[in-house]
Amino acid sequence: MTEPTPTAPMPTAPLGTSGTTASRLALGAMTFGAETDQSGAFDQLDAFLAAGGTLIDTADVYADGESERIIGRWLADRRPADTIIATKGRFAPPPGSAGASRRSLVRSVDASLNRLGVDAIDLYFVHGWDQQTPVVETLDTLSGLVRAGKIHALGWSNVTGWQLSRIMTEARRGGHVRPAVLQPQYNLLDRGIETEVLPCCLEEELAVTPWSPLGGGWLTGKYRRDDRPTGATRLGEDPDRGVEAYDTRNTDRTWDIIETLEQVAERHGRPMAQVAIAWLLRRPGVASVLLGARTVEQLNGTLPSIEIDLSEQDMADLTAVSAPGLPPYPYEMIEDFCDVPFWRDLGTAS
């Protein structure tokens, strides 16, 4: 058996009300088994562990389960006591099941446990809202899996403000195990959660663990205005890729944000990617930021973001240029009537 790699100190934060504390940087494993082979994945996991990281995040749909299998093989002889394994279910149900239904989740959790080779999942996320399944059924099922010792803590991902509020209300009403963590997209280019989702997280004491902190590579500075990406990058291979598609994000607002980010990065003598992550680490409610990489070199290029101490001016510059603005109703109306900035409780510049 391989001895655990010695770890360096890394700041930690509580994962909401779960009683679990995790490293402020997390390793996202979506590339494992797809863009990153097992050897490269092991290199990333070892480097993350050596940097003091503890939270490793995957999902049953990543590479059709291969991401979980790779992590399971790595865990077989490397796992230290403080490693926290998070996975998700909802989009890859077993045959004959649907979404976040009881049958689907019970089978999905058992399948993830088998692929990971563990007795319990430290943090289990429902990967998105399921319109077809009553949320009380999902909560009751998850609570039963916690009582059975198969899951230690619960989270949700990719929901709207009203959906998150419904989840938390039904958890209280039914005496179910309370979700403790939310995993949304959140970065300088996409601050959409600040309108309703993030305030709900703060109200409910949910920890936030954002994915896509670099906006699909946009915040690294590797893309250029009026120059469609090509080559071995995510957008080079697929310019229409999801929410980070080139034509969607190729806007004046994006380039204003990138210009300011570059200026702040130059003041610190750091890469833009590290500064973008450092900004996110300072946002209200954010406990741990997911780092996703194809190679260990890419991962090592983002891990030092934990060391950056942004000044108040740095934060103000980045927050102001990336401010998403408010819909006129009801948000701007609330500002006018109450004579207080809507964003005040989030500490942002409007």
Side-chain angles (χ1 to χ4, degrees):
M1 176 174 292
T2 303
E3 291 297 320
T5 305
T7 59
M10 181 184 286
T12 60
L15 292 177
T17 57
S18 69
T20 300
T21 299
S23 56
R24 298 219 61 207
L25 295 177
L27 179 60
M30 188 174 70
T31 62
F32 293 3
E35 300 165 276
T36 306
D37 62 17
Q38 178 170 298
S39 175
F42 277 23
D43 287 343
Q44 286 193 41
L45 288 159
D46 288 341
F48 181 67
L49 194 69
T54 62
L55 178 56
I56 299 167
D57 180 271
T58 185
D60 58 2
V61 291
Y62 295 166
D64 295 324
E66 186 59 19
S67 176
E68 288 184 327
R69 294 187 192 95
I70 288 173
I71 292 171
R73 290 190 284 268
W74 179 82
L75 289 173
D77 66 353
R78 284 174 167 85
R79 183 175 188 177
D82 60 351
T83 302
I84 301 161
I85 303 299
T87 193
K88 312 176 195 72
R90 186 259 183 266
F91 291 116
S97 299
S101 68
R102 188 181 310 277
R103 185 175 189 271
S104 174
L105 287 179
V106 168
R107 293 187 172 198
S108 294
V109 166
D110 284 343
S112 288
L113 287 168
N114 182 63
R115 287 189 290 265
L116 289 166
V118 296
D119 296 326
I121 296 164
D122 297 309
L123 176 58
Y124 191 78
F125 289 96
V126 181
H127 212 160
W129 183 256
D130 180 2
Q131 188 67 29
Q132 305 304 316
T133 302
V135 70
V136 291
E137 177 180 332
T138 301
L139 287 165
D140 186 63
T141 302
L142 293 170
S143 296
L145 290 166
V146 171
R147 288 191 294 271
K150 294 185 177 183
I151 298 172
H152 290 157
L154 303 179
W156 232 278
S157 183
N158 306 316
V159 290
T160 64
W162 76 263
Q163 290 167 349
L164 181 58
S165 180
R166 175 78 178 278
I167 290 164
M168 303 308 293
T169 298
E170 294 294 350
R172 278 192 296 272
R173 181 180 296 162
H176 302 298
V177 175
R178 184 180 185 276
V181 184
L182 183 80
Q183 188 180 112
Q185 178 183 211
Y186 191 26
N187 55 60
L188 279 163
L189 295 176
D190 196 328
R191 292 170 54 185
I193 67 166
E194 292 181 0
T195 305
E196 296 286 353
V197 176
L198 185 53
C200 186
C201 289
L202 297 175
E203 180 73 16
E204 296 286 356
E205 298 182 290
L206 287 161
V208 179
T209 59
W211 57 268
S212 193
L214 300 179
W218 280 90
L219 297 173
T220 66
K222 64 184 175 183
Y223 300 128
R224 292 290 180 265
R225 190 194 298 260
D226 301 325
D227 185 10
R228 287 178 70 82
T230 58
T233 65
R234 289 185 179 181
L235 288 188
E237 295 168 354
D238 182 8
D240 299 321
R241 181 187 176 103
V243 295
E244 63 215 34
Y246 182 78
D247 290 334
T248 300
R249 284 194 166 156
N250 183 20
T251 65
D252 288 341
R253 175 179 178 269
T254 291
W255 299 114
D256 288 344
I257 292 169
I258 289 173
E259 180 181 356
T260 301
L261 178 62
E262 186 174 20
Q263 291 168 357
V264 175
E266 288 176 353
R267 290 204 291 261
H268 287 265
R270 296 277 194 157
M272 293 167 59
Q274 293 181 13
V275 172
I277 294 167
W279 176 86
L280 195 54
L281 286 165
R282 289 273 303 273
R283 301 303 292 152
V286 172
S288 186
V289 173
L290 270 65
L291 307 180
R294 293 188 182 193
T295 67
V296 70
E297 290 78 17
Q298 289 179 347
L299 176 63
N300 286 333
T302 55
L303 285 170
S305 59
I306 199 70
E307 305 166 356
I308 298 177
D309 184 16
L310 295 179
S311 69
E312 293 304 316
Q313 187 62 57
D314 294 332
M315 289 297 295
D317 290 347
L318 291 168
T319 303
V321 74
S322 64
L326 293 172
Y329 182 86
Y331 306 103
E332 288 186 358
M333 179 177 171
I334 291 171
E335 283 194 333
D336 292 340
F337 281 10
C338 299
D339 196 29
V340 293
F342 181 80
W343 298 113
R344 184 184 60 177
D345 290 341
L346 297 183
T348 62
S350 58

